[in-house]
């Protein structure tokens, strides 16, 4: 058994809420859209054609209804909401929802020049570098970025720590829309929310216990492949 978590790195975060903010424009290479229906409301994600392994794996799970009945088991305000642990179906209050018995991995498709942790990004969770130095992704678990806003000073300091420059358009996105730039180049980003971001934001604000599990389950009722949402 294993625990698949995200590393929450302390950064110079601002306390401003992301609620009501729109996302940066969707990139063009998208063929498939998936509607995620929850007991908090529905939202739609686009899957990037530029990450075909992750796209096709996610579509397979959706078509097989594998996610139906799972929960968002890890939620951190102004950071992300995490789901996709198939072992959370039927979880009780005493279930350790961080335990995952699925052992398969997907080779990463990290391309920070195109896909980054902006507000609303759909990303693959993974095990830590100590047991997973190739940064391979979980075959089921995913997270959606809520994140926070950053100033130029924040991003300048982050560039020094990461040892690389943040592209100008990504910098503007982190400043005006928010995100989690410290996760870039470490996790695969394979899609983004294109409709219903307000539902994602509502989920991030639910009350949680000391393990970051919502006190009242946020349940994925159904996932389905849908047409591109109308603006």
């Amino acid at each position: 058994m294993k625990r698949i978590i995200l590393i929450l790195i302390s950064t110079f975060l601002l306390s401003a809420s992301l609620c009501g903010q729109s996302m940066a424009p969707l990139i063009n290479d998208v063929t498939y859209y998936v509607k995620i229906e929850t007991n908090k409301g529905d939202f739609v994600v686009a899957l990037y054609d530029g990450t075909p392994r992750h796209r096709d794996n996610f579509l397979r799970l959706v078509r097989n209804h594998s996610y139906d009945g799972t929960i968002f088991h890890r939620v951190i305000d102004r950071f992300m909401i995490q789901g996709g642990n198939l072992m959370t179906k039927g979880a009780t209050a005493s279930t350790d929802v961080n335990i995952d018995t699925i052992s398969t991995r997907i080779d990463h498709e990290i391309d920070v020049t195109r896909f980054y942790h902006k507000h609303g990004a759909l990303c693959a969770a993974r095990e830590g570098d100590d047991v997973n130095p190739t940064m391979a992704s979980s075959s089921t678990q995913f997270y959606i970025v809520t994140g926070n806003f950053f100033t130029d000073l924040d991003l300048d300091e982050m560039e020094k720590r990461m040892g690389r420059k943040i592209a100008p358009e990504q910098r503007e996105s982190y400043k005006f829309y928010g995100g989690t730039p410290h996760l870039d180049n470490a996790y695969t980003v394979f899609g983004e929310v294109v409709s219903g971001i307000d539902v994602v934001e509502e989920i991030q604000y639910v009350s949680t216990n000391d393990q970051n599990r919502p006190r009242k389950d946020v349940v994925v009722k159904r996932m389905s492949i849908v047409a591109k949402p109308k603006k």
Side-chain angles (χ1 to χ4, degrees):
M1 294 187 293
K2 59 186 179 180
R3 295 174 182 266
I4 299 175
I5 62 174
L6 303 177
I7 299 171
L8 177 57
I9 301 174
S10 177
T11 57
F12 297 96
L13 298 179
L14 300 181
S15 61
S17 168
L18 292 171
C19 186
Q21 293 293 321
S22 59
M23 295 172 292
L26 175 69
I27 65 172
N28 294 323
D29 61 337
V30 169
T31 302
Y32 294 98
Y33 299 83
V34 172
K35 183 178 182 180
I36 301 176
E37 301 175 41
T38 82
N39 60 339
K40 288 289 187 181
D42 308 338
F43 57 95
V44 177
V45 295
L47 306 180
Y48 298 151
D49 291 341
T51 53
R53 289 191 293 273
H54 287 71
R55 177 201 63 197
D56 293 348
N57 178 73
F58 196 79
L59 289 171
R60 176 183 60 81
L61 291 164
V62 170
R63 290 183 175 118
N64 289 340
H65 301 284
S66 299
Y67 287 129
D68 298 1
T70 59
I71 65 174
F72 282 96
H73 64 279
R74 189 164 179 257
V75 172
I76 302 177
D77 182 14
R78 294 190 299 277
F79 183 42
M80 59 89 217
I81 65 173
Q82 184 173 345
N85 183 350
L86 306 189
M87 307 309 295
T88 63
K89 292 184 181 182
T92 67
S94 61
T95 301
D96 186 348
V97 294
N98 292 310
I99 296 296
D100 187 346
T101 60
I102 305 298
S103 60
T104 55
R105 297 172 175 171
I106 306 172
D107 290 343
H108 81 74
E109 294 178 291
I110 296 171
D111 182 357
V112 73
T113 65
R114 302 173 65 199
F115 312 126
Y116 57 102
H117 283 77
K118 64 182 178 180
H119 178 216
L122 171 66
C123 317
R126 68 174 179 87
E127 294 174 283
D129 291 351
D130 55 336
V131 295
N132 179 28
T134 64
M135 298 184 290
S137 302
S138 164
S139 63
T140 66
Q141 289 202 37
F142 62 89
Y143 61 97
I144 299 171
V145 172
T146 53
N148 217 322
F149 296 106
F150 293 80
T151 66
D152 279 318
L153 178 60
D154 298 334
L155 297 171
D156 289 345
E157 291 295 327
M158 198 170 296
E159 285 181 337
K160 293 177 183 177
R161 292 196 298 273
M162 296 187 300
R164 66 173 182 84
K165 288 291 185 181
I166 299 172
E169 65 274 13
Q170 295 180 14
R171 177 179 279 261
E172 292 303 297
S173 180
Y174 287 132
K175 287 165 55 180
F176 293 104
Y177 301 104
T180 56
H182 57 284
L183 298 182
D184 284 342
N185 226 27
Y187 296 81
T188 296
V189 179
F190 65 98
E192 63 183 83
V193 177
V194 293
S195 176
I197 189 65
D198 57 317
V199 174
V200 175
E201 290 168 346
E202 180 181 353
I203 293 171
Q204 79 163 327
Y205 294 130
V206 300
S207 176
T208 58
N209 63 19
D210 57 4
Q211 297 295 312
N212 299 310
R213 176 182 175 176
R215 297 186 185 278
K216 294 183 179 180
D217 285 345
V218 180
V219 182
V220 174
K221 297 192 294 185
R222 184 171 183 263
M223 287 196 193
S224 55
I225 301 169
V226 295
K228 180 180 179 179
K230 296 180 180 179
K231 294 183 178 181

